[in-house]
Amino acid sequence: MSLFNTMTQTRYYILSAFFCVLFCACGVDRTIKKGDKYLAVGEYYDAANQYRSAYSRTPSKDKKQRGMLAGKMAYCYDRINSTQKAIAAYRNVIRYNCDSVETHLALARQLLRNGNYKEAAKEFLYVLDSLPDNKLAINGLQSAESAPAIKQQGSRYIVKKMDVFNSRRDDYSPVLAGDQYDQLFFTSTRNEAAGDELSGITGTKPGDIFYSEKDDKGKWSKPKSIEGGLNSDYDEGACCLSPDQREMYITQCSSDPTYPRYAIIAKSSRSDASWGKPTQVEISKDSLSSYAHPAISPDGQWLYFVSDMPGGHGGLDIWRMRISANGLGGVENVGAPINTPGDEMFPTFRPNGDFYFSSNGHPGMGGLDIFIATVDKSRHWQLEHPGFPLNSQGDDFGMTFEGPHNRGYFCSSRGDARGWDHIYSFELPEVIQTVTGWVYEQEGYELPAAQVYMVGNDGTNEKLSVKGDGSFTKVIKPGVEYIFLATCKGYLNHKQELKVQPVEESEDYVLQFPLPSIQVPVMIDNIFFEYNKYELLPESKTALDELVELLNENPNVTIELSSHCDYRGSAGYNKTLSQNRANAVVAYLIEHGIAADRLSPVGYGKERPKTIRKKMTEKYPWLKEGDVLTEEFINKLGDKQKQEVCNQLNRRTEFIVLRTTYGQDGTTPKPKPKPKKEEKPELEFDGFDIEI
């Protein structure tokens, strides 16, 4: 080969290499710009992929660019909880001498989250050497030094992974629902979520709300996506329910390729079993802040949420705003000691009022740790770290409770190398005493519109809401005497007393509150007379004493007390007998302190046969609602046993409310007899407006 040809070939290789380098450099620049574009709108997963591609094509001698790209990758991995990748990227930033104090602080927090406590402590010390007052570094160092001991000490919490709820992706923020806590809502990015595209933020499907139901044997069903308008192609995140479980507040993050991804809080209403399309809850006019992780206080008066809006303590803070009949208003930061320069997230309440949240700014075990906040007598927050195994080196958050019991579900990223969140059960064995009450119409069904007033001799004075099945559950204290008064518009009040005894095991007291209607006749069970006579038998005393108590609890009520017979016998004889029986009942009531002008005895004989109400058809399926037990109806039955049942139903004593204004319209109620000296004064229902 000639010298000329050799020189020509050399120039060709040099030029080819030059253009290749130039082309690669242009390609890297385009990839970086693409990553920056994703980063600007908060699509961290897609941005990290672009930066990683640019990093791999950047020559190792270009330390400045490699360090810069490693820093951007680290930030993205940090944001999507990819801990191990974030650690590797931060170390590359340091390796290429592009680090700052903030780099070492971020690395230390990721090492802490990964359980590398010794290495984390070294990095925190490095930060404190330059920034001795940095609160995150101070608390981080304390966490790194104390976490091993916290783990070794353990606690009485029992934690189990719930495989029935979990997938190979994120499953988080469980919320128990249903009158018997037999429904579980949670967010998941599993493949069954709606939408065809993967999220640019996480690289998974956008989150949807899923639910599972528990059967009579306590077995949870396979989770399903909620039908209706609740889920969309966008991200539906952490949710909560209003106390009546008719409204769901959710975190929602819509997609916009040209605009940053700011989370909002939206509200969905339930119609029967279906949830409607969510509408945005306007918290403030600030459209450049995120609002997420809603929680409703047990009294339904406050909406708690998480935001990075200005005026906080740094990072994400927990805020709240009042819920009123006129809507939401009055945003306020819950302040210290709950909020820190770190992130405080996922607020929730135990029904007893204890406030739970997760934080990576308080000393803990790494990542987000669960903390419990209670209010002391001085109205100041007191914080408790519940220890291991409820907390771990990973992220632990999203508590939900099975009523008053200290058990339920939460989520954690522990033990997952890829950082996915999974749902766990928890239980803290404890001796707890509760009262469960059932409010229902006498001879009818549950009354979910009822209110229950609870007064104790320890100063307790509360108004309790009733669930959809007419029940309520409340934690009670040993040694305390309580009075419960159940009320509902259109019904008479009913009172129950309870003295709680000290016990060594958990116990649930059950109280019944049958409320008589003021619109229909109410049957008085267990009133007994001898055959063809009107003298009350001693067995009637219990039922009559209960009627005396009911009338004392409703002192503004007057009633018609009626007695009825079956169709057998002459009309005149039956009318006289029933009138005498009604008189006998009224005489007993007057003798026991009920004013005579509140009572109107009437004997109807066989003039008014019983009309069947729906509830009675459950006991006697061969009867229908609205059946009137006339002589003709009974004779058509044919079956002697059924005929006798109808005759027994017709032989009854009942009352109907005539007025609810006795003593309020110029009449003078008869004063109650004064209690004897040895009797304790009654507890009063002060401060409540109780209507009949």
Side-chain angles (χ1 to χ4, degrees):
M1 183 180 294
S2 66
L3 179 61
F4 174 79
N5 289 337
T6 303
M7 293 176 62
T8 301
Q9 192 174 31
T10 302
R11 286 197 192 98
Y12 171 77
Y13 286 134
I14 293 173
L15 288 173
S16 296
F18 172 77
F19 283 114
C20 182
V21 171
L22 181 63
F23 176 79
C24 289
C26 292
V28 168
D29 288 342
R30 283 196 297 270
T31 304
I32 294 173
K33 288 180 179 179
K34 198 172 182 179
D36 291 342
K37 184 179 179 181
Y38 286 133
L39 181 60
V41 295
E43 297 185 343
Y44 305 111
Y45 179 84
D46 286 347
N49 284 341
Q50 296 300 318
Y51 295 139
R52 185 174 67 239
S53 175
Y55 180 88
S56 65
R57 288 184 286 154
T58 299
S60 57
K61 64 181 180 180
D62 192 348
K63 296 183 179 180
K64 183 176 181 180
Q65 180 156 293
R66 275 211 155 198
M68 177 271 293
L69 289 170
K72 290 189 174 186
M73 274 193 292
Y75 177 77
C76 292
Y77 291 138
D78 198 324
R79 296 288 290 182
I80 62 176
N81 301 331
S82 189
T83 302
Q84 293 180 348
K85 289 183 178 180
I87 291 172
Y90 280 127
R91 282 176 169 160
N92 279 334
V93 175
I94 298 171
R95 172 188 173 192
Y96 289 113
N97 298 319
C98 292
D99 56 308
S100 64
V101 176
E102 286 71 22
T103 305
H104 290 269
L105 178 59
L107 173 59
R109 287 160 66 81
Q110 288 297 315
L111 289 168
L112 189 66
R113 190 180 189 185
N114 204 46
N116 300 349
Y117 296 126
K118 290 184 179 180
E119 296 178 56
K122 292 178 182 178
E123 294 296 334
F124 282 124
L125 287 171
Y126 180 95
V127 174
L128 289 172
D129 188 51
S130 300
L131 302 172
D133 297 326
N134 187 286
K135 191 67 174 177
L136 288 178
I138 293 171
N139 288 346
L141 179 61
Q142 182 179 338
S143 299
E145 292 175 341
S146 62
I150 294 174
K151 186 172 184 178
Q152 184 177 6
Q153 180 180 355
S155 70
R156 296 174 58 243
Y157 278 95
I158 301 170
V159 171
K160 297 179 181 178
K161 191 174 183 180
M162 296 296 295
D163 290 332
V164 65
F165 302 134
N166 294 316
S167 67
R168 295 183 179 181
R169 296 292 184 267
D170 278 323
D171 303 285
Y172 63 96
S173 290
V175 175
L176 279 167
D179 294 329
Q180 303 303 317
Y181 307 102
D182 53 1
Q183 301 171 27
L184 188 79
F185 298 96
F186 63 94
T187 300
S188 179
T189 62
R190 62 186 64 197
N191 292 334
E192 292 81 3
D196 297 324
E197 296 183 3
L198 298 181
S199 167
I201 301 176
T202 62
T204 65
K205 283 283 200 75
D208 271 355
I209 306 296
F210 285 74
Y211 76 98
S212 176
E213 294 181 298
K214 187 193 293 184
D215 62 20
D216 294 338
K217 297 180 180 179
K219 183 179 180 181
W220 288 99
S221 66
K222 182 180 178 181
K224 297 179 181 179
S225 177
I226 290 183
E227 297 180 355
L230 183 67
N231 288 321
S232 69
D233 290 341
Y234 305 135
D235 267 310
E236 277 75 41
C239 68
C240 73
L241 295 171
S242 59
D244 62 6
Q245 301 189 23
R246 294 189 175 275
E247 292 181 328
M248 179 184 290
Y249 292 79
I250 65 171
T251 305
Q252 197 173 58
C253 195
S254 60
S255 178
D256 189 334
T258 62
Y259 200 72
R261 302 282 298 272
Y262 296 113
I264 65 167
I265 292 175
K267 182 173 69 174
S268 172
S269 298
R270 186 180 65 182
S271 176
D272 295 326
S274 179
W275 292 95
K277 184 177 180 180
T279 57
Q280 183 173 352
V281 175
E282 186 174 293
I283 293 177
S284 77
K285 300 296 183 181
D286 177 9
S287 61
L288 298 179
S289 298
S290 288
Y291 308 94
H293 308 167
I296 305 294
S297 60
D299 59 10
Q301 296 183 9
W302 293 94
L303 169 65
Y304 285 71
F305 61 95
V306 171
S307 179
D308 57 357
M309 71 172 75
H313 291 239
L316 294 170
D317 272 14
I318 296 174
W319 303 69
R320 71 174 188 172
M321 63 192 309
R322 186 173 288 280
I323 302 173
S324 68
N326 299 323
L328 298 170
V331 177
E332 60 183 51
N333 190 292
V334 300
I338 289 176
N339 288 321
T340 70
D343 293 328
E344 279 67 50
M345 309 164 72
F346 298 98
T348 190
F349 283 91
R350 188 177 170 187
N352 67 358
D354 290 351
F355 182 57
Y356 286 68
F357 67 97
S358 292
S359 172
N360 60 18
H362 290 284
M365 295 188 68
L368 291 171
D369 270 25
I370 294 168
F371 290 86
I372 307 169
T374 54
V375 179
D376 62 18
K377 295 181 179 179
S378 302
R379 307 299 298 172
H380 295 136
W381 289 109
Q382 299 295 323
L383 299 188
E384 175 192 351
H385 184 276
F388 179 84
L390 192 64
N391 284 312
S392 68
Q393 77 273 11
D395 289 335
D396 305 290
F397 60 97
M399 304 284 285
T400 186
F401 295 88
E402 188 180 324
H405 305 285
N406 203 343
R407 62 175 181 255
Y409 302 95
F410 74 111
C411 45
S412 177
S413 64
R414 67 186 67 186
D416 192 298
R418 300 186 65 184
W420 302 122
D421 300 315
H422 301 295
I423 295 174
Y424 291 75
S425 68
F426 74 91
E427 180 176 6
L428 179 63
E430 60 181 354
V431 175
I432 182 172
Q433 290 178 275
T434 57
V435 58
T436 297
W438 302 88
V439 187
Y440 54 93
E441 179 185 0
Q442 193 165 325
E443 296 186 78
Y445 293 93
E446 60 272 2
L447 295 172
Q451 291 279 352
V452 177
Y453 300 88
M454 172 182 175
V455 175
N457 62 0
D458 64 337
T460 300
N461 198 341
E462 297 184 41
K463 182 190 291 186
L464 310 179
S465 296
V466 172
K467 294 184 287 190
D469 63 348
S471 72
F472 67 89
T473 301
K474 185 68 178 177
V475 175
I476 48 181
K477 302 175 184 176
V480 177
E481 297 179 18
Y482 293 97
I483 292 180
F484 297 86
L485 181 70
T487 72
C488 189
K489 189 175 182 180
Y491 298 86
L492 299 184
N493 302 329
H494 185 70
K495 183 173 69 175
Q496 289 275 28
E497 298 183 10
L498 175 66
K499 183 175 182 180
V500 186
Q501 302 294 336
V503 294
E504 295 182 359
E505 296 182 357
S506 295
E507 184 173 351
D508 183 39
Y509 296 85
V510 178
L511 301 178
Q512 303 285 342
F513 296 87
L515 303 189
S517 171
I518 64 174
Q519 298 172 337
V520 297
V522 179
M523 190 160 65
I524 310 171
D525 291 324
N526 301 320
I527 302 294
F528 301 104
F529 302 91
E530 288 191 11
Y531 179 69
N532 278 345
K533 293 184 179 181
Y534 53 84
E535 289 82 8
L536 287 163
L537 292 176
E539 295 91 324
S540 305
K541 185 177 185 301
T542 299
L544 290 173
D545 287 345
E546 290 176 355
L547 181 56
V548 170
E549 187 175 351
L550 178 68
L551 291 169
N552 284 330
E553 292 168 3
N554 298 271
N556 302 118
V557 166
T558 64
I559 65 170
E560 176 189 278
L561 194 293
S562 59
S563 182
H564 304 262
C565 299
D566 59 36
Y567 67 87
R568 293 173 293 192
S570 68
Y573 178 82
N574 280 339
K575 193 169 181 66
T576 300
L577 178 63
S578 62
Q579 183 65 54
N580 288 333
R581 287 179 170 179
N583 291 340
V585 173
V586 166
Y588 185 95
L589 300 178
I590 293 173
E591 182 183 346
H592 287 77
I594 305 302
D597 57 350
R598 296 179 61 193
L599 308 169
S600 300
V602 179
Y604 286 105
K606 59 181 180 180
E607 295 174 3
R608 296 190 178 184
K610 177 77 173 176
T611 299
I612 299 301
R613 300 186 65 194
K614 185 177 180 180
K615 184 69 174 178
M616 192 166 289
T617 63
E618 296 178 3
K619 185 176 182 180
Y620 306 110
W622 44 273
L623 292 173
K624 298 191 301 294
E625 183 181 11
D627 284 346
V628 181
L629 305 186
T630 62
E631 181 178 357
E632 180 184 6
F633 176 90
I634 295 173
N635 288 331
K636 283 183 178 180
L637 291 174
D639 187 305
K640 294 295 183 182
Q641 188 174 1
K642 292 180 180 178
Q643 289 177 339
E644 180 53 32
V645 168
C646 292
N647 285 325
Q648 290 175 0
L649 292 174
N650 275 332
R651 297 191 300 269
R652 69 196 188 277
T653 302
E654 61 188 17
F655 71 86
I656 188 169
V657 175
L658 300 177
R659 287 190 299 148
T660 60
T661 57
Y662 180 77
Q664 299 175 342
D665 54 1
T667 57
T668 304
K670 181 179 179 180
K672 290 184 182 180
K674 294 182 179 180
K676 297 178 182 179
K677 289 184 179 180
E678 65 271 19
E679 292 181 353
K680 295 181 180 179
E682 290 191 15
L683 295 171
E684 298 293 339
F685 290 91
D686 293 334
F688 294 123
D689 182 17
I690 302 174
E691 295 183 0
I692 294 176

